[in-house]
Amino acid sequence: MIDRLQEMMARIAELGGPVVMILVGVSVVTLAVILYKLWQFAAAGVGRHAALRQAVAAWDAGDRADARVALDRSRSYLRPVIEMALSGMQDAARLEAEAELRFARLERGFRFLDTVAQLAPLLGLFGTVLGMITAFQALQEAGAQVDPSVLAGGIWVALLTTAAGLAVAMPTSVVLSWFEARMDAERVFAASAVHTILSPGAARAAPRAQGAPVHA
């Protein structure tokens, strides 16, 4: 197995040169980061806030008991933030900051993915330039006896590195966009939940639901 892997890497190095080897290494690390982020999102319960939504809706309707029951069912990473709000924390900025701390943990690795999406095509272009330099050097050395096979090696490297750079950059960019869209939705949900809990309407609804007198 190891021998076959070494043989395959040697073949890749022979065909594409050092730039393709770098892109292969970058692609392996990028795949590892993407798989880790997928696991992290699943473990944190990103997008799975049904119980929290029920808790917020019950609180907004004035039913604090049902809100607590729904909150206890939640396994979302945002549960501590909502619990702070339901427990009497009235500082919206503090609650949003607590949510941002959790968002920041989930967004670790985004900068790396963004760097790969931007840098991979440039690496491919760099390999293209190196390949063309090699081709023209071979053309110069051949003089009047130009053999197309002499140029083929440099042109092959140039095309291969360009394709490799795009092959790494395009899926990375798509996955990063998907991750960022999920986090944007998380921020919208957190902000909506916090402001719903702290809104004056929810505060007035609670005593009415419990039968407390409401004075004009």
Side-chain angles (χ1 to χ4, degrees):
M1 181 66 179
I2 297 178
D3 291 339
R4 290 185 62 186
L5 181 60
Q6 290 176 344
E7 182 180 351
M8 182 178 65
M9 297 303 292
R11 179 63 175 166
I12 292 174
E14 180 183 352
L15 291 175
V19 174
V20 171
M21 291 297 296
I22 293 173
L23 287 170
V24 169
V26 169
S27 67
V28 171
V29 177
T30 301
L31 180 60
V33 171
I34 290 173
L35 292 177
Y36 171 73
K37 298 308 296 183
L38 290 173
W39 171 84
Q40 188 182 31
F41 273 39
V46 173
R48 299 199 301 270
H49 305 305
L52 287 185
R53 287 191 175 89
Q54 292 174 6
V56 172
W59 184 272
D60 192 42
D63 193 341
R64 297 190 177 187
D66 282 354
R68 291 290 180 180
V69 170
L71 181 66
D72 290 340
R73 293 199 307 269
S74 174
R75 296 295 179 267
S76 169
Y77 71 103
L78 287 174
R79 174 184 171 179
V81 178
I82 303 303
E83 188 170 11
M84 289 174 63
L86 297 184
S87 298
M89 171 66 70
Q90 296 296 312
D91 189 348
R94 170 69 184 279
L95 292 170
E96 290 176 357
E98 291 290 336
E100 282 296 329
L101 286 175
R102 289 159 175 80
F103 296 149
R105 296 192 191 103
L106 291 172
E107 289 175 340
R108 288 173 186 166
F110 283 15
R111 183 68 61 85
F112 172 78
L113 295 178
D114 182 59
T115 300
V116 170
Q118 296 185 43
L119 188 59
L122 296 179
L123 281 172
L125 180 60
F126 178 62
T128 299
V129 173
L130 292 180
M132 296 307 297
I133 290 174
T134 301
F136 281 110
Q137 282 179 338
L139 180 63
Q140 181 183 17
E141 292 172 359
Q145 303 298 324
V146 178
D147 184 356
S149 64
V150 174
L151 300 177
I155 296 174
W156 166 260
V157 172
L159 295 176
L160 183 60
T161 54
T162 300
L166 293 175
V168 173
M170 289 188 293
T172 302
S173 181
V174 170
V175 172
L176 177 60
S177 296
W178 183 78
F179 281 146
E180 290 176 339
R182 295 296 300 272
M183 293 310 302
D184 287 344
E186 294 295 291
R187 282 186 167 85
V188 170
F189 168 74
S192 175
V194 167
H195 286 288
T196 298
I197 293 171
L198 300 184
S199 65
R204 290 195 297 269
R208 287 197 189 102
Q210 294 176 1
V214 180
H215 302 285

